Amino acid sequence: MGRVPLVLLTTVGARTRRERTSVLGGFEEPDGAWLVVGSKGGSATHPAWFINLAKSPDNVWLEVGNRKFKVRPELLKGDQYEAAYRRVVEDSRQYAGYRKVTDREIPLVRLRAG
């Protein structure tokens, strides 16, 4: 995805309880955490991986390159959300337009190892 690395996010299905893996653009933060964006191309609904993550936050893994590790998700809000979204848009301009085509707040999730 341009200069944005692709990561694999594995969650547990909200209904099926089966592992589901999604390919997403990942934005590494200076402290080693990663940001993922629930944009779904500006769709009116949240992506399935976000619903799964919200229903089962203790069962989330991130794969970056050849490393796979358990992560703790944190849904960003307020000033943290706005600052992080600006950074995401700096790295990948396509995310700027998604907020303009949907009425929902596009989730921005910080993933920390642990």
Side-chain angles (χ1 to χ4, degrees), residues 19-72:
E19 285 189 6
R20 303 287 186 207
T21 300
S22 302
V23 179
L24 304 171
F27 300 85
E28 188 173 16
E29 296 193 292
D31 66 356
W34 286 82
L35 297 173
V36 290
V37 184
S39 62
K40 198 176 174 185
S43 172
T45 60
H46 291 307
W49 66 260
F50 179 72
I51 307 264
N52 294 343
L53 180 144
K55 296 268 184 176
S56 192
D58 294 331
N59 294 306
V60 182
W61 297 266
L62 188 67
E63 191 169 341
V64 179
N66 62 358
R67 299 177 319 148
K68 185 174 183 177
F69 47 97
K70 192 166 186 143
V71 292
R72 293 182 330 271

Side-chain angles (χ1 to χ4, degrees), residues 41-108:
S43 172
T45 60
H46 291 307
W49 66 260
F50 179 72
I51 307 264
N52 294 343
L53 180 144
K55 296 268 184 176
S56 192
D58 294 331
N59 294 306
V60 182
W61 297 266
L62 188 67
E63 191 169 341
V64 179
N66 62 358
R67 299 177 319 148
K68 185 174 183 177
F69 47 97
K70 192 166 186 143
V71 292
R72 293 182 330 271
E74 172 193 1
L75 182 61
L76 299 183
K77 294 286 185 187
D79 291 342
Q80 279 189 327
Y81 177 92
E82 292 302 328
Y85 209 95
R86 278 192 300 275
R87 183 174 161 265
V88 164
V89 169
E90 285 174 12
D91 287 350
S92 185
R93 302 284 313 150
Q94 71 191 34
Y95 287 98
Y98 296 154
R99 290 171 83 178
K100 297 174 185 172
V101 297
T102 186
D103 292 332
R104 71 180 172 92
E105 180 174 89
I106 293 175
L108 187 53

